[in-house]
Each structure stands twice: as structure tokens, then as C-alpha cells.
């Protein structure tokens, strides 16, 4: 039953006082931020003349950035807890407006930095240790020089900065604040509105297919009713992305998304191609599930229910203990860090009205990470907790070991620690159970990770690629166009044993990443492949104890490295080369291995299912 926030104990809610005790203190920092921002134009024409002015300017920029993190995220987090919080929404818009003006006032900075010869800049850094932490980002400025415009053109583009996020804001309001959830009556007579969280619980625990169907239709109709509006929002995002790419001398939106982090285009294409070439295990799994569940027709809403009747409820306290226990193989420091990450006030645990759906971890360098959950007691929720704590540990280790300018790791490596934590949890839970049904549920959880984090995200990456290409080639975007892309991809990936419901095609309307972070989702798949490789090196006994220990050190060094290098280089240092296609092919091999284990366990209890 959905509770109101005031019905939930404080220990299960964020303590935002760690950022600011009240709005008055927030206002003081906002005033300070405005004053600091006013100083920026005073440096125009000076920073290229001598290192002293340049150093002072760099220090000022860092002060502004660190203060902006706190001033922006304080209302942002409050709005995520309640999308109808008008005060937070107003304050957030105020900060966004101030930062947009700052972007205009500072648009001259990069062009002027690039008037300093690269050799001169290297000398300044070598002779002034305070600049050392900025070496990598400054060298990146020179690498990306061809995509930086003249000062007047940069200023012109900066005027539009505030508006580039508007489509995402509209999507957020439509899909959260203004969405109307449909009520259903289940076979047991219970009635409820189907929110994202309720839907997730029904499809993962309710063994009556008709109930799952009702939940599916209720949720997807909440999006389908506004399909034309969602398509219009998405079209504007596709057009925005292409316009932004062209304005910066990129050929495509994908190139603009990858090049700033030096990700080769062939990594994205290889991921899609490899996944499509390796859909046989996915089709095998759907066939196995259809038979094991004794279904006449298999639908996407049947994909989350366990083959065996296993609906164990995990209390949040038990989930915390289990996740904490599972990370012991990474050493005492990691264990203690995770224990700290579970501190009261760092997590907002339960679903409440108008709270943002899903889960995330977000870091504030001068405070600590905050984790949003919508914990519902399922096994999947336990794995989500482990996942988000992986992000948090990555942030904590990066913050502890890197100075602010290079503390933020890229999205490209962001999902490595989270999926690694899930693998640790799986191993721990398998080790501690002799119950065949629980073992089957856990193997399915691991397979679900491969399906959801690798195959589905690759499918979504394929969708984004195709949708962007349509706009870049002058084509039209309508709900039917987007539906057709999804329909063809699901048929190609899942095969004929998946019955494609008409409403399933509208899934593009309910994936926030498409609207908030285009070309993000492929990184779930690349990170999954990376963590699979790292996990194998650390745990597989085919390697010597010394090799496994070194692999663990390399992995922890990856988490400590923040953003001090290109992510492909960071992964290579840890032992993963994503330029090789067999890195992706290995996921399908692991999938087949788990399917063999699953079939073996199912045969043991064949008479019970």
C-alpha cells in the first residue's frame, strides 16, 4: 500500500539538512554564487596573458562549480521526492536561469583558452602545481579544439542553453506530475491504481497471467493516451540533438555524444551488431520460460515472473545486511565504505505519491551521495539496492582519491561498479541457499540482469540510433514511426515466441533516459560487458591467487580514478578492451552457461512446477 511521506520513519528518508538546514541558508549561498559569477567577465582578455591570472580564474571557476552543485541539487532532490512541490520547482527554475546567464557570461572562456599555445599551457601546468588537477580537462580542451567556435558564436549558442532542457522538463511533468494512473481489480478482488512501482511488483510476483495483463494494459495506457504528445517531445529532442551536433562541426548526434569522452564510433556499432548476432540465447530463454510457465502465449509482461513460485519478501533491513555481507570479497575498506553508504539520511527508500520512479545515486562532492529507491520488498529490489550502492561506492572512492576537477567519472564507466555489486550479491545468495526454488530464482535474477542490462539496453540503443538517423536524414517522427522501430526490434531480438502486444510498442514513451539523457542506455550494456570481464578475472579460479588479487587492485583503482583519463583507457588499465568484439560476444556465452544451470535445476524439481 502506497504510504504518504509523513507516515514513513525518518531513518528511511533523505536528510537534506546535510546540504542546507533550510531555505534561508540556501538563499545565502545562492547570493554568494551570483556574486562569484559576476567576477567571471573581469578575467576576459587576461587569462591568456599570464599564469597568475589564469590560476586565479581556474580557482574561481571551481568555487562556482562546487557551490552550484549544492545550490542546484537541494531543490532538485526535493522535487524528485514530490514533483508537485511548487517551492522546489520555482527555486530549481531560478537556479537554471542563473546558470543559463552564467553560461552566456562565460562563453568566451574556452575560445580564449585556445588562444594560449598548447606548449605554453603545458609549461604553466608544469611550473604551477595548483594547475596539476586541471591538466587532463585542459588537454581535453585542445583535443576538442575543432568543435569549439569563435567567442561570438559561442556566446550566440549560449543564449539557447536554458531552452535545450525544456523538452526533458515537459516530459518529466507529463510522465510524473500530470500522469493519470489507471485503477484495476485483480483476481483476488483487490483494487489499486497501477503506478510504475505497483506495475513492477505485480509483473514480478503475481502468478496470474490475466492480472499481469491488466497491470500492463493499465500502465501502458497511461502513456498511450498521450502518445502524440510524447512523440512530439521526442521529435524535438532528436531535432535538438542534431542541431547541436551540426553547430559544433559533428556529422551526427552519435558522434557528438561519443567524441567528448573519446569513445570510438565502432564501439557503439559493434555493441549493436554483436548483440543482434547473439540473440540465440535470448530466444532460447523465452522458449524455456514459455514451456516452464505453461503459457499458451508469452508476452513481455510475463518476462519478470519467476518460473517457480518464489515470492519471498525481503525486509529492507535484511536487504541491507545481505548486500553488505556480499561485498566482503572486495576487502575491508570497501566493506566499511559500503556500511557508511548505508547511513541514515543517505537513502530515500520507499515509494510515495508524486515521488520520482526508479532508482539512482547522485553525488555531491562536498556533502555525500544521495540514493533514491522505490523499495518494494522483492528480490529485484534487493538487487537494485546493491546496484545503487555500487554507484555510491564509485562516487565515494572517486571523491576520496581525486581532486574536484577530475573527481566525476564518466557515464561510460558508471554502470561497472553497480553491475559488479549485483554479481557479488548473486554469488553470496547462491552460496547461502540449498533451496532449489531459491536457486532457480537467483539464476533467473542473474539471467534477468543479462536480459535487462545488456540485451534490452542494446535494443534501446539500437532504437535511439535508428530514431536519430531518421531525423538526420530528413524523415518524419510520429507515434507510428516510433512504434514500428520498437516492434521490429522486439521481434528481431526475442523471436516468434514473444507475442507482441499493440501497447508494448509504446514502451519508448516510458523510458526517461530517451528524454533526459539521449545515447545513455548503450553504456549499461558496455558497462555490463566490462564488469563481467572484471568479475571473471577477480573470481575465476582458473587464475592464480596472485592474478586474482592484482585484478581486484586494478578494479578498485578503476573506481578510485574518477575522471582522470578517457574511460576507454581507464578500462584498459583494469584489463578490459571494448574495441574487441569478443568482449561483447562473451556475454552470450555466459548467458548460455546460466541457461544450462537453470535447466539442470528445473529438472531436479520437475514434478513440483
Amino acid at each position: 500500500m502506497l504510504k504518504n511521506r509523513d507516515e514513513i520513519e525518518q531513518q528511511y528518508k533523505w536528510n537534506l539538512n546535510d546540504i542546507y538546514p533550510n531555505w534561508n541558508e540556501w538563499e545565502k549561498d545562492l547570493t554568494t554564487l551570483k556574486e562569484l559569477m559576476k567576477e567571471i567577465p573581469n578575467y576576459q582578455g587576461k587569462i591568456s596573458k599570464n599564469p597568475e591570472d589564469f590560476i586565479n580564474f581556474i580557482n574561481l571557476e571551481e568555487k562556482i562549480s562546487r557551490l552550484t552543485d549544492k545550490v542546484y541539487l537541494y531543490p532538485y532532490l526535493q522535487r524528485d521526492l514530490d514533483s508537485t512541490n511548487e517551492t522546489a520547482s520555482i527555486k530549481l527554475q531560478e537556479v537554471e536561469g542563473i546558470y543559463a546567464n552564467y553560461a552566456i557570461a562565460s562563453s568566451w572562456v574556452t575560445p580564449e583558452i585556445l588562444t594560449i599555445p598548447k606548449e605554453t599551457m603545458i609549461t604553466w601546468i608544469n611550473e604551477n602545481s595548483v594547475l596539476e588537477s586541471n591538466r587532463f580537462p585542459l588537454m581535453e580542451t585542445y583535443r576538442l579544439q575543432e568543435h569549439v567556435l569563435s567567442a561570438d558564436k559561442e556566446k550566440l549558442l549560449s543564449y539557447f542553453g536554458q531552452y535545450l532542457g525544456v523538452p526533458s522538463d515537459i516530459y518529466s511533468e507529463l510522465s510524473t506530475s500530470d500522469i493519470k494512473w489507471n485503477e484495476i481489480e485483480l483476481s483476488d478482488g483487490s483494487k489499486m491504481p497501477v503506478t510504475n512501482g505497483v506495475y513492477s511488483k505485480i509483473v514480478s510476483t503475481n502468478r496470474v497471467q490475466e492480472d499481469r495483463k491488466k497491470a500492463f494494459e493499465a500502465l501502458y495506457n497511461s502513456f498511450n493516451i498521450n502518445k502524440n504528445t510524447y512523440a512530439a517531445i521526442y521529435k524535438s529532442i532528436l531535432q535538438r540533438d542534431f542541431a547541436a551536433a551540426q553547430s559544433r562541426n559533428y556529422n551526427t548526434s552519435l558522434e557528438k555524444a561519443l567524441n567528448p569522452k573519446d569513445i570510438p564510433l565502432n564501439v557503439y556499432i559493434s555493441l549493436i551488431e554483436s548483440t543482434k548476432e547473439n540473440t540465440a540465447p535470448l530466444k532460447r530463454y523465452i522458449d524455456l520460460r514459455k514451456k516452464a510457465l505453461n503459457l499458451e502465449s508469452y508476452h513481455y509482461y510475463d518476462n519478470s515472473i519467476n518460473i517457480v513460485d518464489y515470492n519471498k519478501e525481503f525486509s529492507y533491513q535484511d536487504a541491507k545486511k545481505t548486500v553488505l555481507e556480499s561485498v566482503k570479497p572486495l576487502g575491508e575498506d570497501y566493506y566499511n565504505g559500503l556500511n557508511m553508504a548505508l547511513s541514515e539520511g543517505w537513502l530515500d527508500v520507499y515509494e510515495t505519491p508524486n515521488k520520482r520512479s526508479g532508482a539512482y545515486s547522485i553525488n555531491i562532492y562536498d556533502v555525500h551521495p544521495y540514493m533514491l529507491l522505490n523499495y518494494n520488498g522483492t528480490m529485484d529490489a534487493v538487487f537494485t539496492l546493491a546496484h545503487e550502492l555500487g554507484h555510491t561506492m564509485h562516487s565515494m572512492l572517486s571523491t576520496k582519491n581525486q581532486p574536484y576537477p577530475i573527481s566525476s567519472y564518466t557515464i561510460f564507466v558508471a554502470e561497472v561498479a553497480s553491475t559488479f555489486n549485483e554479481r557479488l550479491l548473486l554469488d553470496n545468495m547462491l552460496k547461502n541457499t540449498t533451496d532449489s526454488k531459491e536457486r532457480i530464482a537467483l539464476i533467473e535474477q542473474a539471467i534477468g540482469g543479462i536480459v535487462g542490462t545488456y540485451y534490452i539496453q542494446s535494443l534501446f540503443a539500437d532504437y535511439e540510433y535508428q530514431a536519430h538517423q531518421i531525423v538526420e536524414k530528413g524523415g518524419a517522427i510520429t507515434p507510428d514511426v516510433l512504434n514500428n522501430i520498437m516492434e521490429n526490434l522486439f521481434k528481431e531480438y526475442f523471436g516468434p515466441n514473444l507475442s507482441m502486444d499493440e501497447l508494448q510498442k509504446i514502451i519508448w514513451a516510458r523510458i526517461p533516459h530517451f528524454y533526459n539523457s539521449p545515447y545513455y542506455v548503450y553504456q549499461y550494456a558496455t558497462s555490463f560487458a566490462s564488469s563481467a570481464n572484471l568479475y571473471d578475472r577477480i573470481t575465476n579460479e582458473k587464475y592464480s591467487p596472485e592474478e586474482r588479487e592484482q585484478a581486484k587492485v586494478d578494479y578498485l583503482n578503476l573506481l578510485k580514478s574518477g575522471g582522470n583519463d578517457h574511460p576507454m583507457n581507464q578500462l584498459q588499465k583494469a584489463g578490459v578492451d571494448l574495441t574487441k568484439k569478443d568482449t561483447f560476444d562473451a556475454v552470450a556465452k555466459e548467458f548460455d552457461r546460466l541457461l544450462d544451470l537453470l535447466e539442470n535445476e528445473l529438472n531436479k524439481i520437475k514434478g513440483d512446477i
Side-chain angles (χ1 to χ4, degrees):
M1 194 70 177
L2 199 63
K3 290 185 177 181
N4 292 317
R5 289 198 67 77
D6 57 9
E7 297 177 290
I8 295 173
E9 293 179 49
Q10 186 58 46
Q11 63 178 311
Y12 303 119
K13 296 188 284 191
W14 278 340
N15 179 12
L16 298 180
N17 290 344
D18 290 349
I19 312 174
Y20 294 108
N22 51 55
W23 283 113
N24 288 335
E25 293 303 310
W26 178 86
E27 289 281 359
K28 289 179 185 177
D29 264 5
L30 184 67
T31 300
T32 301
L33 181 63
K34 290 177 185 175
E35 293 302 312
L36 290 173
M37 286 178 170
K38 287 179 184 177
E39 296 179 30
I40 289 291
N42 298 334
Y43 284 89
Q44 188 168 4
K46 295 181 181 178
I47 63 172
S48 58
K49 305 298 185 204
N50 62 74
E52 289 76 20
D53 281 330
F54 185 75
I55 290 168
N56 291 335
F57 172 78
I58 290 294
N59 288 335
L60 174 61
E61 269 201 325
E62 181 174 325
K63 283 182 186 175
I64 290 170
S65 184
R66 291 170 77 154
L67 201 53
T68 300
D69 288 348
K70 294 173 63 181
V71 167
Y72 176 78
L73 286 172
Y74 187 65
Y76 178 91
L77 294 174
Q78 294 200 41
R79 192 187 64 170
D80 274 2
L81 295 179
D82 180 4
S83 63
T84 64
N85 184 332
E86 190 170 350
T87 300
S89 294
I90 290 170
K91 301 287 189 186
L92 188 62
Q93 289 179 49
E94 183 180 0
V95 179
E96 288 171 344
I98 291 167
Y99 197 79
N101 290 330
Y102 171 68
I104 295 168
S106 61
S107 59
W108 57 271
V109 173
T110 302
E112 184 164 333
I113 288 175
L114 289 172
T115 66
I116 306 169
K118 184 178 179 180
E119 295 73 20
T120 301
M121 180 62 72
I122 291 171
T123 300
W124 285 4
I125 296 171
N126 290 340
E127 293 178 353
N128 298 275
S129 58
V130 291
L131 289 177
E132 183 57 42
S133 62
N134 285 277
R135 181 186 294 272
F136 179 68
L138 285 170
M139 291 302 101
E140 281 294 274
T141 301
Y142 289 96
R143 181 179 70 83
L144 297 167
Q145 186 165 0
E146 65 180 295
H147 304 293
V148 178
L149 309 180
S150 59
D152 58 334
K153 290 179 181 176
E154 287 288 348
K155 185 173 184 178
L156 180 63
L157 284 183
S158 69
Y159 283 112
F160 297 92
Q162 187 174 1
Y163 308 104
L164 296 180
V166 170
S168 301
D169 292 340
I170 296 172
Y171 174 79
S172 179
E173 296 298 336
L174 184 64
S175 62
T176 307
S177 304
D178 294 337
I179 199 163
K180 304 300 180 190
W181 303 118
N182 296 306
E183 188 173 276
I184 60 170
E185 181 176 349
L186 298 176
S187 57
D188 64 1
S190 60
K191 295 180 180 179
M192 65 198 71
V194 181
T195 64
N196 284 300
V198 169
Y199 170 75
S200 175
K201 186 157 190 176
I202 290 174
V203 297
S204 63
T205 63
N206 193 308
R207 304 202 68 77
V208 180
Q209 188 185 37
E210 186 60 28
D211 284 346
R212 299 196 296 271
K213 180 182 179 182
K214 285 181 181 178
F216 166 78
E217 290 179 345
L219 184 82
Y220 277 66
N221 269 317
S222 292
F223 289 89
N224 193 54
I225 195 171
N226 291 316
K227 65 181 181 181
N228 292 302
T229 305
Y230 285 118
I233 295 169
Y234 193 55
K235 178 178 72 174
S236 71
I237 286 171
L238 298 173
Q239 292 171 333
R240 176 202 69 188
D241 290 351
F242 189 38
Q246 290 175 299
S247 70
R248 296 241 170 241
N249 302 316
Y250 290 105
N251 295 314
T252 65
S253 307
L254 179 59
E255 188 181 335
K256 183 180 181 296
L258 301 185
N259 192 44
K261 301 304 177 187
D262 203 28
I263 310 296
L265 284 171
N266 73 325
V267 169
Y268 196 98
I269 304 305
S270 290
L271 169 68
I272 290 174
E273 289 178 350
S274 173
T275 310
K276 281 183 172 178
E277 290 167 7
N278 287 286
T279 57
L282 181 58
K283 292 166 183 169
R284 176 188 169 194
Y285 182 49
I286 298 304
D287 185 49
L288 184 155
R289 284 180 58 79
K290 183 180 179 181
K291 291 173 182 173
L293 290 166
N294 196 26
L295 298 175
E296 287 187 19
S297 61
Y298 188 93
H299 300 260
Y300 193 63
Y301 50 78
D302 297 319
N303 230 33
S304 299
I305 192 76
N306 288 321
I307 288 176
V308 293
D309 190 0
Y310 179 85
N311 294 326
K312 181 178 177 180
E313 287 265 351
F314 296 85
S315 73
Y316 177 62
Q317 293 302 328
D318 285 344
K320 287 201 301 182
K321 290 176 185 175
T322 302
V323 173
L324 191 58
E325 175 71 22
S326 72
V327 303
K328 283 185 175 178
L330 289 178
E332 188 176 348
D333 287 346
Y334 193 93
Y335 176 89
N336 291 336
L338 197 82
N339 198 23
M340 181 185 294
L342 286 163
S343 297
E344 185 175 319
W346 289 33
L347 296 109
D348 202 88
V349 179
Y350 298 110
E351 184 179 20
T352 52
N354 301 308
K355 180 179 174 180
R356 176 172 170 165
S357 64
Y360 66 68
S361 172
I362 195 165
N363 187 43
I364 304 177
Y365 188 86
D366 292 310
V367 186
H368 57 71
Y370 282 89
M371 286 161 282
L372 180 138
L373 303 173
N374 282 278
Y375 190 83
N376 61 10
T378 61
M379 180 185 282
D380 188 59
V382 181
F383 277 81
T384 298
L385 175 62
H387 181 103
E388 297 307 330
L389 284 165
H391 288 308
T392 293
M393 281 303 301
H394 197 169
S395 297
M396 290 170 69
L397 289 169
S398 293
T399 296
K400 183 178 179 180
N401 290 280
Q402 300 297 333
Y404 180 81
I406 51 173
S407 62
S408 296
Y409 50 86
T410 64
I411 294 170
F412 192 78
V413 297
E415 299 298 337
V416 173
S418 55
T419 52
F420 195 102
N421 263 20
E422 288 190 65
R423 288 169 185 271
L424 287 171
L425 177 61
L426 175 74
D427 268 5
N428 181 261
M429 293 182 76
L430 279 172
K431 183 179 69 177
N432 289 309
T433 183
T434 56
D435 180 349
S436 282
K437 286 189 176 181
E438 186 165 33
R439 289 184 66 80
I440 289 169
L442 286 165
I443 293 167
E444 279 216 275
Q445 182 71 34
I447 291 173
I450 294 177
V451 174
T453 310
Y454 185 79
Y455 281 91
I456 292 294
Q457 303 307 328
S458 295
L459 184 155
F460 286 163
D462 205 339
Y463 161 82
E464 285 195 280
Y465 185 52
Q466 291 186 43
H468 278 86
Q469 281 191 315
I470 289 171
V471 165
E472 290 167 12
K473 292 175 181 176
I477 295 294
T478 67
D480 285 344
V481 168
L482 300 176
N483 282 355
N484 286 338
I485 297 174
M486 277 299 181
E487 180 179 15
N488 291 333
L489 284 171
F490 269 92
K491 286 179 177 178
E492 185 173 7
Y493 276 63
F494 284 84
N497 272 327
L498 179 74
S499 297
M500 191 72 186
D501 295 275
E502 188 64 29
L503 281 172
Q504 175 59 29
K505 302 172 189 176
I506 198 71
I507 192 172
W508 54 265
R510 63 174 297 252
I511 307 300
H513 282 115
F514 293 161
Y515 300 84
N516 301 328
S517 313
Y519 284 129
Y520 180 106
V521 296
Y522 85 97
Q523 294 161 121
Y524 283 112
T526 53
S527 290
F528 188 88
S530 299
S531 70
N533 185 287
L534 290 164
Y535 194 79
D536 181 65
R537 292 180 62 230
I538 292 172
T539 62
N540 196 322
E541 292 188 358
K542 73 179 182 183
Y543 300 106
S544 70
E546 293 76 20
E547 287 174 321
R548 295 200 302 273
E549 181 62 28
Q550 185 58 51
K552 182 172 75 174
V553 170
D554 292 341
Y555 171 62
L556 292 174
N557 283 338
L558 168 67
L559 303 190
K560 293 173 183 177
S561 64
N564 67 3
D565 200 352
H566 297 127
M568 292 284 288
N569 291 342
Q570 291 175 314
L571 286 170
Q572 284 179 338
K573 290 173 190 174
V576 179
D577 188 355
L578 289 174
T579 63
K580 295 180 179 177
K581 202 173 176 190
D582 58 7
T583 303
F584 300 121
D585 295 343
V587 177
K589 293 177 183 176
E590 172 65 5
F591 198 167
D592 269 325
R593 185 187 73 84
L594 288 169
L595 285 173
D596 291 340
L597 286 177
L598 180 60
E599 288 180 338
N600 184 51
E601 291 290 341
L602 284 171
N603 286 332
K604 289 180 184 178
I605 62 166
K606 201 165 187 180
D608 299 328
I609 62 172

